[in-house]
Amino acid sequence: MSALKAVSIQADIAIATLAVGVLVVTLGLLARPGSRPATPRGIRLLWEMSIDVADRAAADLPDEVRGRVTATAVTLFWFVAAANWLHLIPGSPLPAPTSDINLTLALALTAMGVVHLTGIQVRGPRGYWRHYLSPWWLAPVKIAEEAIKPMTLALRLFGMVFASALMLLLIGEILPTPAAVVPHVLWSLFDVFIGAIQAFIFALLTILYFQAVLPSSGGGLTRPPRPIPSR
Amino acid sequence: MMTTRNFLVPDATFFIEMAAFIAVLAVMSRYVVPRIRNAMAERQNSIVAALAAAEAAEARTEDAEAEAARIRADARRDARAITDQARAVRDHLIAEGRTAGVEEYRWLAGRAGRELQRRSDLSSRRFRQQARTAAITAAQAYLGTDVDVASLSRLVDERLDGGDGNRASPAGKAAPSISPHVPAMVP
């Protein structure tokens, strides 16, 4: 009986996460190019912008994994952004799922899992583990760093969104209702900005972690100039 | 007894959320992002191809403009040569026409002079004949006898060839030749 009690599930967080997942997948499927005109507009333009930014950030990664890196980063960005903004929808009964450590930790561990699996796939198991041993005396530090990375990813996001949600709660608790409207609106607008920034940081750090475990094909964070013919 | 949850410790919700995100990641990685990336790459390729085509068209335009400039220069040179040639032909025709005109004028003037001379001679002969006849008739009427026609005719001719005869009969004087004046009238 005590074991069953230990398996506690926060229904509102789980439902909010599923709602975010459905929302992101739906928007992604709507943004897919079909019989639509070639010029991107609306939601598809946003998706293309995010994919382009991720592609540029992953420009120096090997071609065979760049698609996966871009897909992971873009999915993380939109998932985290939608999760951050969910509680800002007026009348939304769902909390921001990223204000709970479960989702942020799940996102961080999944991202790092994809990073390590991709590193093993590209370098091979032996080559992948070998890069932890060069030099050998730094191996404990590197291994500890690999453990710290998902923790920092998860706690950074969780801390920001949790604090933001706490601020909104405090504004509502401390100030009387008429006086709380303006600070609530202002903080919500600031929260939109913070939510986008946190999502971008999460995705960008994931790309950097990919770059740390994958061999570089040259270049840096910026993509080399596109081959536009000179006029 | 109510237990409070430590918000820094994950619970079973973690597994649900990880499963949900992995599902989302799988769908996005398989059905969404690759298609959008391919569409972007196709569009970029088409833009690059269009730019290359525009550049080629621009190069063709520049070549065509250079060819047009060359053709214009050739045409100007040809036109200039044709104009010079036409001017030379014009000058030649003018000179030729002037020469022909002068020659024709001289010929016409000569013919007119000859005609005047012929008519003057004819009038002079007629006048002499009439003068002789009148003199003979008058002499015969005055004398009442026949006169020496030959002598009287010679006398009349001598009188007509003299100074008084010229005043008395303009036709008796030889018509002046216009030929000496012709060259002065030629332009």
Side-chain angles (χ1 to χ4, degrees), chain B residues 2 8 14 19-20 26 42 46 73 87 95 104 108 128 143-144 153 159 173 184-185:
Chain B
M2 186 174 176
L8 286 175
F14 168 82
E42 285 178 8
S46 67
R87 198 172 287 130
E104 186 172 358
L108 287 174
R128 284 175 187 263
L143 296 176
S153 297
R159 293 293 296 181
K173 186 179 179 182
M185 295 174 67

Side-chain angles (χ1 to χ4, degrees), chain A residues 8 10 13 17 28 32 38 47-48 51 55 67 75-76 100-103 106-107 109 158 226 228-230, chain B residues 5 7-8 10-14 17-18 21 24 28-29 31-32 35-37 39-40 43-44 51 55 58:
Chain A
S8 62
Q10 301 175 65
I13 297 295
T17 303
R32 283 190 311 172
W47 277 94
E48 289 199 3
I51 288 173
D55 258 345
T75 306
L76 278 170
D100 186 83
I101 190 68
N102 288 298
L103 178 58
L107 293 175
L109 287 176
F158 164 69
R226 293 183 175 182
I228 295 175
S230 60
Chain B
R5 173 179 171 263
F7 64 87
L8 286 175
D11 54 21
T13 314
F14 168 82
E17 301 195 335
M18 179 178 273
F21 178 69
V24 170
M28 299 293 291
S29 300
Y31 297 109
V32 176
R35 293 196 185 185
I36 296 177
R37 285 185 83 223
M40 291 169 66
R43 189 167 61 242
Q44 182 177 345
L51 283 175
E55 188 183 15
E58 191 177 354

Side-chain angles (χ1 to χ4, degrees), chain B:
Chain B
M1 178 180 176
M2 186 174 176
T3 59
T4 56
R5 173 179 171 263
N6 185 350
F7 64 87
L8 286 175
V9 177
D11 54 21
T13 314
F14 168 82
F15 299 103
I16 295 175
E17 301 195 335
M18 179 178 273
F21 178 69
I22 289 173
V24 170
L25 183 60
V27 172
M28 299 293 291
S29 300
R30 187 174 180 83
Y31 297 109
V32 176
V33 176
R35 293 196 185 185
I36 296 177
R37 285 185 83 223
N38 289 339
M40 291 169 66
E42 285 178 8
R43 189 167 61 242
Q44 182 177 345
N45 291 337
S46 67
I47 290 171
V48 169
L51 283 175
E55 188 183 15
E58 191 177 354
R60 284 199 301 272
T61 302
E62 289 175 356
D63 291 345
E65 285 177 351
E67 179 71 12
R70 190 186 61 78
I71 290 173
R72 276 198 300 272
D74 290 349
R76 282 198 193 95
R77 192 170 57 249
D78 292 347
R80 201 174 297 119
I82 290 171
T83 304
D84 293 343
Q85 188 178 0
R87 198 172 287 130
V89 169
R90 181 200 66 185
D91 294 343
H92 176 70
L93 287 177
I94 287 174
E96 241 182 15
R98 183 173 291 159
T99 304
V102 167
E103 286 178 357
E104 186 172 358
Y105 172 79
R106 282 177 178 165
W107 178 77
L108 287 174
R111 193 177 70 171
R114 286 192 300 273
E115 182 65 17
L116 279 174
Q117 189 66 43
R118 186 182 67 77
R119 292 191 181 187
S120 174
D121 292 347
L122 181 62
S123 299
S124 178
R125 280 198 302 274
R126 282 179 182 169
F127 179 75
R128 284 175 187 263
Q129 185 63 37
Q130 287 173 358
R132 282 190 211 108
T133 303
I136 290 169
T137 303
Q140 285 177 347
Y142 182 73
L143 296 176
T145 61
D146 292 337
V147 296
D148 186 1
V149 173
S151 300
L152 189 56
S153 297
R154 191 167 49 248
L155 184 62
V156 168
D157 289 339
E158 287 173 1
R159 293 293 296 181
L160 288 176
D161 290 337
D164 292 338
N166 287 337
R167 277 195 305 271
S169 173
K173 186 179 179 182
S177 174
I178 61 171
S179 298
H181 301 288
V182 169
M185 295 174 67
V186 175

Side-chain angles (χ1 to χ4, degrees), chain A residues 86-94:
Chain A
L86 188 63
H87 73 292
L88 299 174
I89 298 172
S92 169
L94 298 172

Side-chain angles (χ1 to χ4, degrees), chain A residues 64-94:
Chain A
E64 63 268 21
V65 297
R66 194 181 301 152
R68 181 190 300 176
V69 173
T70 300
T72 304
V74 169
T75 306
L76 278 170
F77 173 79
W78 285 109
F79 196 92
V80 172
N84 289 346
W85 293 335
L86 188 63
H87 73 292
L88 299 174
I89 298 172
S92 169
L94 298 172

